[in-house]
């Protein structure tokens, strides 16, 4: 059973389009995250939700809108895609923020042309 | 505030020789520290974690790390590298109550036959 699953694995789209990435975890965790990994492999946190409530928003453009319908799901919708949005996006979850490890999905590689 | 510095962006070793990946951290509190590994086109996987118990932490695949408070270091080691160890490695610090983890910039490990 996959603990944290993201779909799609690959996403190729043109500038200006709107796209969504979905994430689900079956670990019973309360906290979920979106991370962005750029071409240099640097990982940056974008959002964090705890039990469906937004708790971290790291100066991400308004074109990015996370939504958490329940604590097992955290989706990411991106409007008006730009070339600079090309990256790998990772969903993660954790049981207790701080001393519990993060569990990552396998990532969604977004390519904007 | 918490921060983490991975001292080497690239490390290259020969198969069968020891591995040392260096990590220094900064934290105002007693942090939790983690090492994650990312194989190509995969998500991040937890190697090991330190959460204020034993200072020498054993992880998966023969890796271990030693927490040294006086040196604010958490270096990752393995006695004998295997070809399958070639990957990206991330050192992560997390303070209680911080709400998020801080990732190092990563170290690319290359293993030569």
């Amino acid at each position: 059973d996959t603990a944290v699953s993201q779909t799609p694995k690959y996403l190729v789209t043109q500038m200006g389009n709107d796209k969504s990435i979905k994430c689900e975890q079956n670990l019973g965790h309360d906290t979920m995250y979106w991370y962005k990994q750029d071409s240099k492999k640097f990982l940056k946190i974008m959002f964090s939700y705890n039990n469906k409530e937004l708790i971290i928003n790291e100066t991400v453009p308004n074109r990015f809108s996370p939504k958490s319908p329940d604590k097992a799901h955290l989706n990411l919708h991106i409007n008006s895609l730009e070339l600079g949005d090309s990256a790998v996006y990772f969903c993660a979850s954790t049981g207790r923020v701080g001393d519990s490890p993060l569990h990552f999905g396998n990532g969604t590689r977004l390519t904007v042309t | 505030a918490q921060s983490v510095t991975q001292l080497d962006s690239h490390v290259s070793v020969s198969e069968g020789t020891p591995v040392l990946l260096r990590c220094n951290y900064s934290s105002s509190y007693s942090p939790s520290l983690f090492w994650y590994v990312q194989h190509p086109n995969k998500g991040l996987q937890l190697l090991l974690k330190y959460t204020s118990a034993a200072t020498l932490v054993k992880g998966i695949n023969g890796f271990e790390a030693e927490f040294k408070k006086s040196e604010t270091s958490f270096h990752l080691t393995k006695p004998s590298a295997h070809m399958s160890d070639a990957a990206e490695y991330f050192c992560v610090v997390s303070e209680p109550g911080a709400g998020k983890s801080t990732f190092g910039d990563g170290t690319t490990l290359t293993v030569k036959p």
Side-chain angles (χ1 to χ4, degrees):
Chain A
D1 275 349
T2 303
V4 181
S5 59
Q6 304 179 219
T7 55
K9 187 172 175 63
Y10 299 97
L11 192 50
V12 181
T13 188
Q14 292 183 326
M15 285 174 55
N17 284 349
D18 304 338
K19 291 293 179 185
S20 292
I21 307 171
K22 296 188 174 184
C23 178
E24 174 182 5
Q25 54 95 4
N26 62 5
L27 298 166
H29 290 162
D30 284 341
T31 306
M32 296 184 72
Y33 302 85
W34 279 111
Y35 283 86
K36 179 180 181 180
Q37 186 174 45
D38 64 21
S39 58
K40 294 184 178 179
K41 302 288 181 73
F42 298 152
L43 271 160
K44 292 188 73 172
I45 189 171
M46 300 174 69
F47 302 103
S48 172
Y49 270 73
N50 182 271
N51 205 5
K52 301 192 298 177
E53 198 172 319
L54 179 68
I55 55 174
I56 293 176
N57 181 342
E58 288 284 312
T59 59
V60 177
N62 291 338
R63 300 182 295 102
F64 291 78
S65 52
K67 281 195 172 47
S68 182
D70 56 61
K71 73 174 194 177
H73 295 83
L74 180 61
N75 304 323
L76 183 65
H77 188 76
I78 315 170
N79 289 326
S80 304
L81 278 154
E82 300 177 357
L83 292 176
D85 297 332
S86 295
V88 181
Y89 293 83
F90 286 99
C91 177
S93 72
T94 189
R96 188 166 72 179
V97 177
D99 59 9
S100 291
L102 293 163
H103 295 257
F104 284 86
N106 281 333
T108 296
R109 183 175 295 275
L110 172 65
T111 304
V112 183
T113 61
Chain B
Q2 60 191 24
S3 67
V4 61
T5 302
Q6 291 185 241
L7 299 168
D8 308 291
S9 57
H10 292 87
V11 170
S12 181
V13 300
S14 297
E15 191 174 20
T17 64
V19 175
L20 170 64
L21 305 183
R22 299 182 295 164
C23 172
N24 285 353
Y25 71 92
S26 174
S27 174
S28 305
Y29 303 95
S30 297
S32 294
L33 293 157
F34 307 83
W35 276 99
Y36 290 84
V37 61
Q38 183 181 23
H39 288 97
N41 299 314
K42 296 288 188 185
L44 281 76
Q45 178 186 16
L46 179 70
L47 271 179
L48 49 82
K49 66 175 183 177
Y50 166 78
T51 52
S52 76
T55 56
L56 184 61
V57 182
K58 293 191 184 302
I60 62 171
N61 300 335
F63 284 94
E64 62 182 38
E66 187 170 7
F67 174 72
K68 292 188 176 180
K69 187 174 181 179
S70 60
E71 299 176 11
T72 60
S73 69
F74 190 57
H75 301 335
L76 181 70
T77 60
K78 182 173 181 177
S80 176
H82 191 273
M83 295 297 291
S84 61
D85 294 327
E88 192 77 16
Y89 291 80
F90 293 94
C91 182
V92 178
V93 63
S94 186
E95 287 179 348
K100 65 178 181 179
S101 301
T102 299
F103 281 73
D105 288 343
T107 298
T108 303
L109 176 64
T110 301
V111 182
K112 297 175 290 188

